[in-house]
Amino acid sequence: MVALGLALMAGQAHAISRYNPQGMTCGDVQARLREEGAVILRYNSPRTGVPLYGRYVYTPAFCEVGQHTEWKRVPTRDNPSCPVRECEYNDYTGSAIYRPGR
C-alpha cells in the first residue's frame, strides 16, 4: 500500500518543462507545446525588461475544468509576437458570456 501511494504521488509530481522563448524560434516554441502539451515560458518584457513567465498550452485539453484558452504573444528569437495559448478562468458574472471575435 505504501509503495502504491508513493507511486501515485510521483505520478502527480510530473515536472513541467521551462524554456526561455527569446533563445528559441517561434516554430521551436510551438513544437515544444505540441510535443509536451504544456510548458512554462520565462522571458523578459520587451518594454520594461521585467522578468515574466506563464504556463502555455497546446490545446484547451491541458487547462483545468472551468478554464478556456486565450491567445497570447511571447517574444522569440525570430518573432517579437509569437502566438501561444494560455489558460484563463471562465468569467461567469454574465459580462463575459458573449465574447466577440471567438
Side-chain angles (χ1 to χ4, degrees):
M1 290 302 248
V2 173
L4 177 60
L6 290 174
L8 289 174
M9 286 192 313
Q12 293 172 350
H14 177 68
I16 186 168
S17 297
R18 291 164 174 78
Y19 298 101
N20 178 347
Q22 292 171 311
M24 305 167 70
T25 67
C26 187
D28 290 340
V29 169
Q30 293 171 346
R32 293 288 142 254
L33 287 167
R34 185 173 46 256
E35 292 168 10
E36 299 182 37
V39 299
I40 292 176
L41 298 177
R42 296 182 298 179
Y43 55 94
N44 292 328
S45 168
R47 290 182 306 191
T48 63
V50 173
L52 302 173
Y53 69 93
R55 180 180 177 273
Y56 300 93
V57 297
Y58 183 61
T59 69
F62 292 93
C63 295
E64 295 179 14
V65 172
Q67 291 185 324
H68 64 279
T69 57
E70 296 261 342
W71 284 102
K72 304 292 178 154
R73 307 277 182 200
V74 297
T76 60
R77 187 174 68 222
D78 65 337
N79 184 348
S81 191
C82 181
V84 292
R85 291 180 179 101
E86 187 174 30
C87 297
E88 298 283 338
Y89 283 98
N90 296 328
D91 182 359
Y92 295 113
T93 62
S95 62
I97 299 295
Y98 173 68
R99 295 179 186 254
R102 292 191 187 254

